[in-house]
Amino acid sequence: MAAAEAAPGSLRRTLTLYLGALLAVFAVALLFAARDYGQRAANRSYDHLLVSSALSIIDSVALVEAQWQVDLPYASLDLLAMAPEDRVFYRVFDAHNQTVTGYEDLPTPPRAPTDQPQLFDAQYSGEQVRFVVVSRRVSSPSTQVEVRVQVGQTRRAREALAQDMVNRSLIAIGVLSLLSLALVAFGVHRAFRPLVKVERELSRREPSDLSPLDARVPREMDQMVAALNRFMGRLSSSNETLRAFMAEAAHQMRTPLAALRAQAQLALDDDDPEDMRRSLLAIERNATHMSRLLNQLLSDASVIHRSNLQRFAPVDLVDTVHQALHEALPQAGPVPRVQLAVGVTAATVNGDALLLREAIKNLIDNALKYGGPGDLQVALTAEGNRFILTIADHGPGIAPADAERVFERFARGEGAAAGGAGLGLAIVKRVVDSHGGHIDLSNRTSGGLVATLTLPGRNT
């Protein structure tokens, strides 16, 4: 035996999981963005201090009688000393890379200095240091030379500032994520409330209550509730049909059973063999009638079931007519004469072959039983996208008042012969209606009844 398919998980949990994962991805993206922003903000702040300090130093450089004089403004370095955990390095040098003052071994810039401040990172004294180099031309009465100032600061303070900004952002992102997750959980709970209401309404109902749901649901659930209401409508109709069928069947079976019991009691009480034989013949007739009634009741139940299922497929009506004739004509005794006229080469309809064959058999059986002497005429023609099957006999016909009533269950026409159950034409009517067709009974001018069955052709 194949392993049972695993039941799907909770829809609520699935939604919460996916939305939570989306929030987690969003939070991680925000964290990386906050980290990048923090680093850039810290770099901008401390780079501005570096450039200001270097410009302040270069403003204090003068060339006097071909000698460099530097009146170092310590206030410029004090700006950088605002970060006590950092170390500061400086160097003043000329265009020939000759150091005027400061640290002689500072790393050289990756590019030649220009009029614009040049910022770069380099390894120095065992640490990563941020440097700036500014350049300016200094004039004296006899010449004009270039002087350069390089100032560096370790990255501890700026890294600490960036990390502090990231930590603060992390706290804010965490709080926002928790609030968002709580909002998602609340939203999922609210979204599933209509389903809970529908479930509660259904669970409080009696088993026999199949009335439509009147729950107010979101637009996305309209289709589901409408489908559920349609299903309950079909189930209610099926139950009503079943109850009516059972009541009518019980009513119809009660009479032949009572007659059987009465005839059997008479047979037991009779001493005369001739009277006993008459009682046994009556029992046999009633048993035959009841057997026929049971067969038609079973046939009616099968038609009801298959009509509700409507598992239709392409059916060749020509083949179905031939099969129905073969099954309906008696196999023993005199075979009635049948004139079959098929005016189409192919007649394909969308339907249930078994139901269509049963309906045609009932029409032929009625014509053979009540049609009187003469040929049975069966014709199949086409009219547009419809196929018309006519079955004509030479019997007494039907009273106009009975033309519609005979399609009801257990209804029989006036003057109908004994032995029928009144279900044959009801079965035909149900089959034709389930196939979107139409059936009509009319009297022939020359005498006899014509049953006209119209079915829509299959759209290709």
mmCIF file of all heavy atoms in Angstrom, residues 21-40 162 165-178 180:
data_model
loop_
_atom_site.group_PDB
_atom_site.id
_atom_site.type_symbol
_atom_site.label_atom_id
_atom_site.label_comp_id
_atom_site.label_asym_id
_atom_site.label_seq_id
_atom_site.Cartn_x
_atom_site.Cartn_y
_atom_site.Cartn_z
ATOM 1 N N ALA A 21 10.631 35.691 7.731
ATOM 2 C CA ALA A 21 11.888 35.608 6.969
ATOM 3 C C ALA A 21 12.104 36.866 6.139
ATOM 4 O O ALA A 21 13.231 37.374 6.038
ATOM 5 C CB ALA A 21 11.854 34.370 6.066
ATOM 6 N N LEU A 22 11.025 37.391 5.557
ATOM 7 C CA LEU A 22 11.146 38.633 4.790
ATOM 8 C C LEU A 22 11.576 39.785 5.684
ATOM 9 O O LEU A 22 12.436 40.600 5.304
ATOM 10 C CB LEU A 22 9.794 38.946 4.125
ATOM 11 C CG LEU A 22 9.743 40.202 3.248
ATOM 12 C CD1 LEU A 22 10.704 40.073 2.079
ATOM 13 C CD2 LEU A 22 8.334 40.447 2.744
ATOM 14 N N LEU A 23 11.005 39.857 6.880
ATOM 15 C CA LEU A 23 11.407 40.895 7.824
ATOM 16 C C LEU A 23 12.869 40.732 8.239
ATOM 17 O O LEU A 23 13.598 41.721 8.395
ATOM 18 C CB LEU A 23 10.511 40.853 9.063
ATOM 19 C CG LEU A 23 9.105 41.425 8.903
ATOM 20 C CD1 LEU A 23 8.303 41.219 10.180
ATOM 21 C CD2 LEU A 23 9.171 42.910 8.575
ATOM 22 N N ALA A 24 13.304 39.477 8.425
ATOM 23 C CA ALA A 24 14.696 39.235 8.807
ATOM 24 C C ALA A 24 15.647 39.694 7.707
ATOM 25 O O ALA A 24 16.677 40.335 7.972
ATOM 26 C CB ALA A 24 14.902 37.749 9.109
ATOM 27 N N VAL A 25 15.311 39.375 6.452
ATOM 28 C CA VAL A 25 16.143 39.833 5.331
ATOM 29 C C VAL A 25 16.178 41.350 5.279
ATOM 30 O O VAL A 25 17.225 41.972 5.072
ATOM 31 C CB VAL A 25 15.611 39.242 4.009
ATOM 32 C CG1 VAL A 25 16.317 39.860 2.807
ATOM 33 C CG2 VAL A 25 15.790 37.728 3.987
ATOM 34 N N PHE A 26 15.014 41.969 5.481
ATOM 35 C CA PHE A 26 14.945 43.427 5.469
ATOM 36 C C PHE A 26 15.784 44.012 6.600
ATOM 37 O O PHE A 26 16.482 45.027 6.415
ATOM 38 C CB PHE A 26 13.479 43.852 5.600
ATOM 39 C CG PHE A 26 13.263 45.325 5.508
ATOM 40 C CD1 PHE A 26 13.551 46.016 4.342
ATOM 41 C CD2 PHE A 26 12.768 46.038 6.599
ATOM 42 C CE1 PHE A 26 13.344 47.382 4.251
ATOM 43 C CE2 PHE A 26 12.573 47.402 6.522
ATOM 44 C CZ PHE A 26 12.856 48.083 5.345
ATOM 45 N N ALA A 27 15.723 43.382 7.786
ATOM 46 C CA ALA A 27 16.502 43.878 8.927
ATOM 47 C C ALA A 27 18.002 43.754 8.667
ATOM 48 O O ALA A 27 18.783 44.662 8.988
ATOM 49 C CB ALA A 27 16.114 43.103 10.189
ATOM 50 N N VAL A 28 18.434 42.631 8.086
ATOM 51 C CA VAL A 28 19.856 42.455 7.773
ATOM 52 C C VAL A 28 20.309 43.497 6.743
ATOM 53 O O VAL A 28 21.395 44.090 6.858
ATOM 54 C CB VAL A 28 20.114 41.026 7.258
ATOM 55 C CG1 VAL A 28 21.529 40.893 6.713
ATOM 56 C CG2 VAL A 28 19.901 40.010 8.377
ATOM 57 N N ALA A 29 19.450 43.736 5.737
ATOM 58 C CA ALA A 29 19.788 44.753 4.737
ATOM 59 C C ALA A 29 19.904 46.127 5.388
ATOM 60 O O ALA A 29 20.822 46.905 5.076
ATOM 61 C CB ALA A 29 18.734 44.764 3.630
ATOM 62 N N LEU A 30 18.981 46.438 6.316
ATOM 63 C CA LEU A 30 19.062 47.706 7.024
ATOM 64 C C LEU A 30 20.333 47.799 7.868
ATOM 65 O O LEU A 30 20.959 48.865 7.958
ATOM 66 C CB LEU A 30 17.835 47.875 7.928
ATOM 67 C CG LEU A 30 16.550 48.378 7.275
ATOM 68 C CD1 LEU A 30 15.446 48.478 8.319
ATOM 69 C CD2 LEU A 30 16.765 49.752 6.640
ATOM 70 N N LEU A 31 20.716 46.679 8.475
ATOM 71 C CA LEU A 31 21.918 46.665 9.302
ATOM 72 C C LEU A 31 23.160 46.956 8.462
ATOM 73 O O LEU A 31 24.018 47.768 8.848
ATOM 74 C CB LEU A 31 22.044 45.310 10.005
ATOM 75 C CG LEU A 31 23.253 45.141 10.927
ATOM 76 C CD1 LEU A 31 23.212 46.172 12.044
ATOM 77 C CD2 LEU A 31 23.302 43.742 11.506
ATOM 78 N N PHE A 32 23.267 46.323 7.296
ATOM 79 C CA PHE A 32 24.411 46.593 6.423
ATOM 80 C C PHE A 32 24.385 48.029 5.929
ATOM 81 O O PHE A 32 25.433 48.687 5.825
ATOM 82 C CB PHE A 32 24.420 45.623 5.240
ATOM 83 C CG PHE A 32 25.018 44.286 5.566
ATOM 84 C CD1 PHE A 32 24.209 43.177 5.808
ATOM 85 C CD2 PHE A 32 26.392 44.130 5.653
ATOM 86 C CE1 PHE A 32 24.769 41.950 6.111
ATOM 87 C CE2 PHE A 32 26.956 42.904 5.956
ATOM 88 C CZ PHE A 32 26.138 41.803 6.188
ATOM 89 N N ALA A 33 23.192 48.530 5.615
ATOM 90 C CA ALA A 33 23.092 49.921 5.172
ATOM 91 C C ALA A 33 23.488 50.870 6.294
ATOM 92 O O ALA A 33 24.187 51.880 6.055
ATOM 93 C CB ALA A 33 21.665 50.209 4.711
ATOM 94 N N ALA A 34 23.058 50.563 7.544
ATOM 95 C CA ALA A 34 23.421 51.407 8.681
ATOM 96 C C ALA A 34 24.930 51.363 8.932
ATOM 97 O O ALA A 34 25.555 52.389 9.246
ATOM 98 C CB ALA A 34 22.669 50.959 9.932
ATOM 99 N N ARG A 35 25.516 50.176 8.771
ATOM 100 C CA ARG A 35 26.973 50.056 8.960
ATOM 101 C C ARG A 35 27.723 50.874 7.919
ATOM 102 O O ARG A 35 28.689 51.590 8.247
ATOM 103 C CB ARG A 35 27.361 48.584 8.877
ATOM 104 C CG ARG A 35 28.843 48.338 9.081
ATOM 105 C CD ARG A 35 29.153 46.875 8.942
ATOM 106 N NE ARG A 35 30.600 46.638 9.069
ATOM 107 C CZ ARG A 35 31.181 45.470 8.898
ATOM 108 N NH1 ARG A 35 30.420 44.406 8.582
ATOM 109 N NH2 ARG A 35 32.470 45.333 9.030
ATOM 110 N N ASP A 36 27.293 50.770 6.674
ATOM 111 C CA ASP A 36 27.944 51.540 5.619
ATOM 112 C C ASP A 36 27.780 53.034 5.853
ATOM 113 O O ASP A 36 28.733 53.817 5.707
ATOM 114 C CB ASP A 36 27.355 51.141 4.267
ATOM 115 C CG ASP A 36 27.962 51.916 3.118
ATOM 116 O OD1 ASP A 36 29.153 51.686 2.812
ATOM 117 O OD2 ASP A 36 27.249 52.755 2.518
ATOM 118 N N TYR A 37 26.559 53.434 6.252
ATOM 119 C CA TYR A 37 26.322 54.850 6.507
ATOM 120 C C TYR A 37 27.161 55.324 7.691
ATOM 121 O O TYR A 37 27.732 56.431 7.662
ATOM 122 C CB TYR A 37 24.832 55.086 6.781
ATOM 123 C CG TYR A 37 24.535 56.496 7.219
ATOM 124 C CD1 TYR A 37 24.463 57.525 6.287
ATOM 125 C CD2 TYR A 37 24.330 56.801 8.577
ATOM 126 C CE1 TYR A 37 24.210 58.829 6.689
ATOM 127 C CE2 TYR A 37 24.071 58.097 8.976
ATOM 128 C CZ TYR A 37 24.013 59.101 8.039
ATOM 129 O OH TYR A 37 23.765 60.395 8.441
ATOM 130 N N GLY A 38 27.241 54.518 8.758
ATOM 131 C CA GLY A 38 28.037 54.903 9.922
ATOM 132 C C GLY A 38 29.503 55.093 9.578
ATOM 133 O O GLY A 38 30.141 56.062 10.021
ATOM 134 N N GLN A 39 30.054 54.186 8.784
ATOM 135 C CA GLN A 39 31.463 54.315 8.402
ATOM 136 C C GLN A 39 31.691 55.558 7.543
ATOM 137 O O GLN A 39 32.666 56.296 7.745
ATOM 138 C CB GLN A 39 31.910 53.060 7.658
ATOM 139 C CG GLN A 39 32.035 51.834 8.557
ATOM 140 C CD GLN A 39 32.423 50.596 7.787
ATOM 141 O OE1 GLN A 39 32.288 50.554 6.570
ATOM 142 N NE2 GLN A 39 32.875 49.574 8.499
ATOM 143 N N ARG A 40 30.763 55.795 6.600
ATOM 144 C CA ARG A 40 30.943 56.969 5.746
ATOM 145 C C ARG A 40 30.773 58.266 6.540
ATOM 146 O O ARG A 40 31.498 59.242 6.323
ATOM 147 C CB ARG A 40 29.952 56.911 4.581
ATOM 148 C CG ARG A 40 30.331 55.868 3.539
ATOM 149 C CD ARG A 40 29.505 55.956 2.276
ATOM 150 N NE ARG A 40 28.150 55.466 2.482
ATOM 151 C CZ ARG A 40 27.068 56.238 2.531
ATOM 152 N NH1 ARG A 40 27.198 57.545 2.382
ATOM 153 N NH2 ARG A 40 25.878 55.719 2.721
ATOM 154 N N ALA A 162 31.783 54.884 14.276
ATOM 155 C CA ALA A 162 30.983 54.101 13.329
ATOM 156 C C ALA A 162 30.297 52.939 14.034
ATOM 157 O O ALA A 162 29.116 52.656 13.789
ATOM 158 C CB ALA A 162 31.868 53.593 12.201
ATOM 159 N N MET A 165 27.351 54.148 16.046
ATOM 160 C CA MET A 165 26.203 54.425 15.186
ATOM 161 C C MET A 165 25.533 53.116 14.754
ATOM 162 O O MET A 165 24.301 53.018 14.705
ATOM 163 C CB MET A 165 26.647 55.228 13.957
ATOM 164 C CG MET A 165 27.157 56.622 14.296
ATOM 165 S SD MET A 165 27.700 57.531 12.846
ATOM 166 C CE MET A 165 26.174 57.786 11.992
ATOM 167 N N VAL A 166 26.363 52.092 14.457
ATOM 168 C CA VAL A 166 25.803 50.790 14.079
ATOM 169 C C VAL A 166 25.033 50.176 15.243
ATOM 170 O O VAL A 166 23.944 49.613 15.070
ATOM 171 C CB VAL A 166 26.921 49.842 13.591
ATOM 172 C CG1 VAL A 166 26.386 48.425 13.419
ATOM 173 C CG2 VAL A 166 27.502 50.337 12.281
ATOM 174 N N ASN A 167 25.603 50.287 16.472
ATOM 175 C CA ASN A 167 24.931 49.714 17.636
ATOM 176 C C ASN A 167 23.577 50.384 17.888
ATOM 177 O O ASN A 167 22.581 49.728 18.194
ATOM 178 C CB ASN A 167 25.816 49.846 18.871
ATOM 179 C CG ASN A 167 27.039 48.943 18.795
ATOM 180 O OD1 ASN A 167 27.049 47.976 18.029
ATOM 181 N ND2 ASN A 167 28.066 49.257 19.565
ATOM 182 N N ARG A 168 23.590 51.718 17.757
ATOM 183 C CA ARG A 168 22.326 52.428 17.951
ATOM 184 C C ARG A 168 21.306 52.025 16.873
ATOM 185 O O ARG A 168 20.115 51.839 17.152
ATOM 186 C CB ARG A 168 22.557 53.933 17.922
ATOM 187 C CG ARG A 168 23.344 54.451 19.126
ATOM 188 C CD ARG A 168 23.653 55.937 18.983
ATOM 189 N NE ARG A 168 24.454 56.406 20.079
ATOM 190 C CZ ARG A 168 23.960 56.857 21.251
ATOM 191 N NH1 ARG A 168 22.646 56.871 21.434
ATOM 192 N NH2 ARG A 168 24.756 57.274 22.202
ATOM 193 N N SER A 169 21.820 51.896 15.636
ATOM 194 C CA SER A 169 20.927 51.469 14.553
ATOM 195 C C SER A 169 20.430 50.053 14.789
ATOM 196 O O SER A 169 19.270 49.731 14.501
ATOM 197 C CB SER A 169 21.649 51.543 13.204
ATOM 198 O OG SER A 169 22.074 52.854 12.928
ATOM 199 N N LEU A 170 21.333 49.196 15.324
ATOM 200 C CA LEU A 170 20.946 47.814 15.587
ATOM 201 C C LEU A 170 19.816 47.735 16.606
ATOM 202 O O LEU A 170 18.869 46.952 16.463
ATOM 203 C CB LEU A 170 22.159 47.023 16.071
ATOM 204 C CG LEU A 170 21.944 45.523 16.328
ATOM 205 C CD1 LEU A 170 21.499 44.826 15.062
ATOM 206 C CD2 LEU A 170 23.213 44.885 16.867
ATOM 207 N N ILE A 171 19.905 48.581 17.630
ATOM 208 C CA ILE A 171 18.837 48.595 18.639
ATOM 209 C C ILE A 171 17.518 49.040 18.003
ATOM 210 O O ILE A 171 16.454 48.432 18.212
ATOM 211 C CB ILE A 171 19.229 49.523 19.803
ATOM 212 C CG1 ILE A 171 20.427 48.936 20.568
ATOM 213 C CG2 ILE A 171 18.046 49.724 20.749
ATOM 214 C CD1 ILE A 171 20.986 49.846 21.629
ATOM 215 N N ALA A 172 17.619 50.109 17.192
ATOM 216 C CA ALA A 172 16.394 50.599 16.536
ATOM 217 C C ALA A 172 15.824 49.556 15.583
ATOM 218 O O ALA A 172 14.606 49.327 15.543
ATOM 219 C CB ALA A 172 16.702 51.891 15.788
ATOM 220 N N ILE A 173 16.717 48.888 14.806
ATOM 221 C CA ILE A 173 16.246 47.865 13.862
ATOM 222 C C ILE A 173 15.632 46.697 14.614
ATOM 223 O O ILE A 173 14.611 46.135 14.199
ATOM 224 C CB ILE A 173 17.409 47.405 12.966
ATOM 225 C CG1 ILE A 173 17.824 48.532 12.007
ATOM 226 C CG2 ILE A 173 17.025 46.162 12.166
ATOM 227 C CD1 ILE A 173 19.093 48.247 11.243
ATOM 228 N N GLY A 174 16.266 46.306 15.739
ATOM 229 C CA GLY A 174 15.723 45.201 16.527
ATOM 230 C C GLY A 174 14.335 45.515 17.060
ATOM 231 O O GLY A 174 13.422 44.683 16.992
ATOM 232 N N VAL A 175 14.180 46.728 17.599
ATOM 233 C CA VAL A 175 12.870 47.118 18.131
ATOM 234 C C VAL A 175 11.836 47.161 17.013
ATOM 235 O O VAL A 175 10.708 46.641 17.146
ATOM 236 C CB VAL A 175 12.975 48.485 18.839
ATOM 237 C CG1 VAL A 175 11.587 48.990 19.224
ATOM 238 C CG2 VAL A 175 13.844 48.365 20.081
ATOM 239 N N LEU A 176 12.223 47.775 15.876
ATOM 240 C CA LEU A 176 11.300 47.842 14.745
ATOM 241 C C LEU A 176 10.953 46.452 14.217
ATOM 242 O O LEU A 176 9.806 46.194 13.831
ATOM 243 C CB LEU A 176 11.900 48.699 13.629
ATOM 244 C CG LEU A 176 11.925 50.211 13.877
ATOM 245 C CD1 LEU A 176 12.659 50.921 12.743
ATOM 246 C CD2 LEU A 176 10.511 50.759 14.007
ATOM 247 N N SER A 177 11.951 45.548 14.199
ATOM 248 C CA SER A 177 11.700 44.193 13.711
ATOM 249 C C SER A 177 10.721 43.454 14.617
ATOM 250 O O SER A 177 9.809 42.760 14.141
ATOM 251 C CB SER A 177 13.011 43.411 13.607
ATOM 252 O OG SER A 177 13.875 44.016 12.668
ATOM 253 N N LEU A 178 10.915 43.612 15.948
ATOM 254 C CA LEU A 178 9.996 42.954 16.881
ATOM 255 C C LEU A 178 8.583 43.517 16.740
ATOM 256 O O LEU A 178 7.596 42.767 16.748
ATOM 257 C CB LEU A 178 10.501 43.130 18.314
ATOM 258 C CG LEU A 178 11.778 42.342 18.672
ATOM 259 C CD1 LEU A 178 12.233 42.682 20.089
ATOM 260 C CD2 LEU A 178 11.536 40.847 18.542
ATOM 261 N N SER A 180 7.388 44.905 14.044
ATOM 262 C CA SER A 180 6.864 44.456 12.745
ATOM 263 C C SER A 180 6.412 43.002 12.812
ATOM 264 O O SER A 180 5.382 42.630 12.238
ATOM 265 C CB SER A 180 7.939 44.620 11.664
ATOM 266 O OG SER A 180 8.320 45.967 11.532
#
